[in-house]
């Protein structure tokens, strides 16, 4: 059970890291909970799919999970940068685009993890619920921490936190593209 908890924690770190950056958009607590719930559902469904489909899918996804995550983070970062540059309005005020575009790329690694768990004999009912719950908690924590930092940055005049958030997502994607291990990574 400790191994399963550890794996769930490690697999939720990518959502935590992304939620820290999303906190720069200063979501309300309700928006944070909604977005985190969607992240949690996807991170819970992904290992279930991996457990049900098995080893075949694990081999196919293992090498491309980081690439898919990198593309998802980069596209969302560019979206925020462009929106912040062309309009004084908030770039993604209700996090609709984050809830739509980020969960799938951030959950691909959990499919491979689920396949490995199935091979190890774990039940398909425990890990998905555990992983989804851990991702939810880690994402809410990340949003709130990032939001707190963004409120402190607001005291500096002329800084657009939406633009800064977009730049952070783009930088995360670029670092992944160059093979640089990001903080809070397990790879």
């Amino acid at each position: 059970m400790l191994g399963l908890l550890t794996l769930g924690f490690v697999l939720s770190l990518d959502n935590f890291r992304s939620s820290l950056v999303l906190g720069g958009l200063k979501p309300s607590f309700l928006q944070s909970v909604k977005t985190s719930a969607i992240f949690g559902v996807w991170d819970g469904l992904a290992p279930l799919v991996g457990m049900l489909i098995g080893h075949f899918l694990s081999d196919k996804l293992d090498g491309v999970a980081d690439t898919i995550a990198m593309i998802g983070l980069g596209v969302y970062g560019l979206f925020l940068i462009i929106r912040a540059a062309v309009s004084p309005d908030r770039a993604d005020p209700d996090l609709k685009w984050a809830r739509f575009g980020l969960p799938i790329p951030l959950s691909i690694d959990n499919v491979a993890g689920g396949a490995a768990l199935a091979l190890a004999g774990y039940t398909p009912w425990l890990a998905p619920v555990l992983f989804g719950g851990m991702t939810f908690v880690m994402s809410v924590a990340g949003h709130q921490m990032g939001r707190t930092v963004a409120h402190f940055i607001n005291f500096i005049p002329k800084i657009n936190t939406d633009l800064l958030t977009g730049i952070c997502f783009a930088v995360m994607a670029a670092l992944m593209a160059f093979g640089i291990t990001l903080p809070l990574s397990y790879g």
Side-chain angles (χ1 to χ4, degrees):
M1 182 66 169
L2 182 61
L4 196 59
L5 287 170
T6 303
L7 182 60
F9 176 75
V10 168
L11 289 174
S12 71
L13 288 177
D14 56 350
N15 285 286
F16 176 73
R17 181 180 58 229
S18 297
S19 293
L20 276 171
V21 176
L22 274 176
L25 297 177
K26 295 178 247 153
S28 69
F29 187 72
L30 181 59
Q31 291 170 334
S32 175
V33 168
K34 286 169 68 174
T35 303
S36 298
I38 292 170
F39 283 8
V41 167
W42 279 98
D43 262 18
L45 288 175
L48 180 62
V49 168
M51 290 175 126
L52 296 176
I53 294 177
H55 188 68
F56 170 76
L57 195 57
S58 174
D59 290 341
K60 298 289 183 194
L61 288 178
D62 198 29
V64 299
D66 286 342
T67 303
I68 293 170
M70 174 193 61
I71 291 169
L73 294 173
V75 167
Y76 186 67
L78 290 176
F79 164 76
L80 291 176
I81 291 168
I82 292 167
R83 290 284 300 260
V86 300
S87 173
D89 297 334
R90 303 283 317 275
D92 192 8
D94 51 7
L95 298 181
K96 276 187 192 175
W97 289 100
R99 287 193 290 265
F100 173 72
L102 291 178
I104 295 172
L106 292 175
S107 298
I108 297 295
D109 57 341
N110 287 27
V111 175
L117 289 172
L119 293 173
Y122 282 93
T123 176
W125 304 114
L126 179 60
V129 172
L130 183 67
F131 290 4
M134 290 183 95
T135 294
F136 172 76
V137 170
M138 295 291 283
S139 294
V140 169
H143 281 135
Q144 298 313 305
M145 293 165 107
R147 183 174 177 222
T148 301
V149 170
H151 281 295
F152 284 115
I153 290 174
N154 262 356
F155 291 121
I156 303 171
K158 306 278 187 206
I159 290 185
N160 182 336
T161 55
D162 290 1
L163 179 63
L164 185 60
T165 300
I167 291 169
C168 287
F169 272 114
V171 167
M172 283 173 37
L175 291 173
M176 289 173 76
F178 289 114
I180 297 171
T181 303
L182 299 173
L184 303 175
S185 293
Y186 53 86

